[in-house]
Amino acid sequence: CWTSLGKLAMQWLAEQAWMQRNTDALELLVQHAATKAASGEIGARGLANMAHGAARSCRAGGLEVLFVALARAAEQRLNEFNA
């Protein structure tokens, strides 16, 4: 989901405008993703994909909660990450 949003945000002006108009929906997505990351249900690759997609989504604000949750979840799975 975040990977797709990141790709769309980088390519299409219409999608960028949609993201700016629908901040409430995106905030729900951030909260849901942060909850899932904190639950321990997402593996290292999923955490990395979420972080990459969220970073590429070009959202200036509102991602702090997600990145904190991703960082904490990644700390618990350090042995699963590779170069």
Side-chain angles (χ1 to χ4, degrees):
C1 179
W2 280 107
T3 302
S4 296
L5 282 175
K7 287 179 183 177
L8 290 173
M10 299 299 289
Q11 295 178 2
W12 308 103
L13 291 177
E15 279 74 9
Q16 289 176 5
W18 182 91
M19 291 176 69
Q20 291 173 352
R21 287 191 313 269
N22 292 282
T23 56
D24 290 342
L26 291 171
E27 182 57 33
L28 288 174
L29 178 61
V30 167
Q31 292 299 326
H32 178 73
T35 300
K36 280 299 206 183
S39 74
E41 297 176 28
I42 300 173
R45 180 177 294 267
L47 294 171
N49 288 341
M50 286 174 70
H52 181 256
R56 288 192 60 184
S57 73
C58 299
R59 287 199 65 203
L63 294 176
E64 295 86 5
V65 170
L66 177 58
F67 284 117
V68 167
L70 290 171
R72 288 182 179 152
E75 286 177 336
Q76 301 301 314
R77 297 182 172 275
L78 285 177
N79 62 332
E80 294 178 29
F81 287 91
N82 60 24

